[in-house]
Amino acid sequence: MSTTITQMTTHTLDVPGATLTYAVRRNNASTEPILVLIAFPMGAAGFVSLAKHFTDRTVVTYDPRGSERSIKTDPTSLARPDVHADDLHRLIQAIGGGPVDLFASSGGAVHALELVSKHPEDVRTLVAHEPPLASILDDRQHALTACRAVYDTYQQRGWGAGMAHFIPIISHRGPFTADLASQPAPDPAMFGMPTEDDGSRTDPMLGESVITTTHYEPDFEALRAGSTQIVVAAGEESEGELACRAAYAVAQGLGVEPVIFPSGHGGFLGGEYGQAGDPDGFAAKLRQVLTEV
């Protein structure tokens, strides 16, 4: 295994309505496709631990528009998955063109599904890890209502209240009911969240992803017909949660079986953002999947 790496370099890319920031960890000796690691609303900083396991390849990470260092021209605008997918298409062209291998988690997996439905030539293998698609669950009506309620709480009362509402919804295991979808937001203080509203409404998760990502509906016909090999990944420890249930629903729509990855929704994290999954086991599973497809 070659580990010939140049120093990580950081770049910017101007796209309509935003400037994206991305990082390249280059291995000039690698003959494998570039490995792109993405998520949303999480940015490149969440992939430090995972990227360390792939020093034999060139690895690219980026901050999606509105997240961390990637600035939107209008910070309050909602960028839907097709916009993020176009950003990814432009990014892939900027790093030399496809096909790349793409690991995409959470909202990033939603954006990646949109990308390969439109540009399958960009991606050789997509590993779509727990896309939180409330729109395709059997209980979609209540699940979408719950997501909308989180967004409304954030808009009405600010970040602390919105996050306190988000936590029990995203961690709920099992189908959503009308009672759950309509329950009021908990007291932010119960979760150690600020109770005061700072007036900001630009949080990429509470102000955008909880609506645009969860409501997206994949084009399964295009995905099945495309050249991209799609692996749908579900977390071993997140069974029953919205994003994990959605992974099973995506797999069903594609006519494939989901692949179980170690840990939970943030299984690749190794202390980033104060969260730790099982990055060693997760990376080993990802390498296995990319090798076998």
Side-chain angles (χ1 to χ4, degrees):
M1 179 182 297
S2 171
T3 56
T4 305
I5 300 179
T6 60
Q7 185 176 5
M8 184 181 75
T9 57
T10 301
H11 311 264
T12 59
L13 175 65
D14 290 331
V15 296
T19 298
L20 308 178
T21 297
Y22 65 98
V24 179
R25 297 168 172 84
R26 186 170 299 280
N27 183 319
N28 291 317
S30 175
T31 59
E32 292 293 320
I34 293 173
L35 175 60
V36 181
L37 309 175
I38 68 169
F40 186 72
M42 190 192 81
F47 287 113
V48 173
S49 296
L50 187 58
K52 289 178 180 178
H53 291 271
F54 292 92
T55 55
D56 57 316
R57 301 179 63 159
T58 293
V59 176
V60 173
T61 57
Y62 96 121
D63 297 337
R65 66 167 65 208
S67 293
E68 300 186 17
R69 299 164 297 175
S70 291
I71 307 302
K72 291 192 286 188
T73 304
D74 177 4
T76 63
S77 63
L78 295 183
R80 302 191 181 278
D82 62 316
V83 174
H84 285 283
D86 184 65
D87 288 348
L88 283 169
H89 176 64
R90 293 170 186 269
L91 173 64
I92 290 169
Q93 300 309 303
I95 61 177
V100 303
D101 284 343
L102 178 58
F103 170 77
S105 186
S106 194
V110 175
H111 302 164
L113 289 170
E114 171 68 7
L115 170 69
V116 299
S117 72
K118 300 289 178 56
H119 299 285
E121 72 281 358
D122 280 355
V123 182
R124 181 182 72 166
T125 301
L126 164 62
V127 180
H129 178 247
E130 297 204 342
L133 290 168
S135 61
I136 61 173
L137 299 178
D138 290 339
D139 49 314
R140 56 169 291 167
Q141 178 181 350
H142 299 317
L144 290 172
T145 298
C147 293
R148 169 64 68 174
V150 172
Y151 175 81
D152 290 343
T153 296
Y154 172 63
Q155 295 297 329
Q156 294 163 10
R157 297 171 50 195
W159 186 86
M163 184 58 69
H165 201 165
F166 175 79
I167 292 171
I169 295 300
I170 204 65
S171 60
H172 172 73
R173 294 179 185 264
F176 285 83
T177 63
D179 288 342
L180 178 64
S182 62
Q183 70 180 12
D187 181 354
M190 292 173 54
F191 298 93
M193 305 294 176
T195 57
E196 294 184 0
D197 182 357
D198 66 3
S200 173
R201 295 296 186 272
T202 59
D203 184 86
M205 180 167 65
L206 300 176
E208 178 177 318
S209 184
V210 75
I211 290 293
T212 60
T213 300
T214 58
H215 286 56
Y216 173 77
E217 297 188 26
D219 184 344
F220 285 114
E221 183 176 352
L223 292 170
R224 290 191 298 265
S227 58
T228 302
Q229 296 293 314
I230 303 176
V231 176
V232 183
E236 182 179 31
E237 297 176 7
S238 50
E239 183 176 357
E241 295 176 359
L242 187 156
C244 187
R245 292 176 59 218
Y248 278 84
V250 170
Q252 183 178 23
L254 294 174
V256 301
E257 290 295 322
V259 176
I260 306 303
F261 270 59
S263 193
H265 192 63
F268 52 87
L269 294 170
E272 296 90 341
Y273 306 105
Q275 301 178 48
D278 178 10
D280 295 347
F282 199 99
K285 187 65 175 182
L286 179 57
R287 183 177 292 279
Q288 175 190 343
V289 165
L290 292 173
T291 301
E292 293 179 349
V293 170

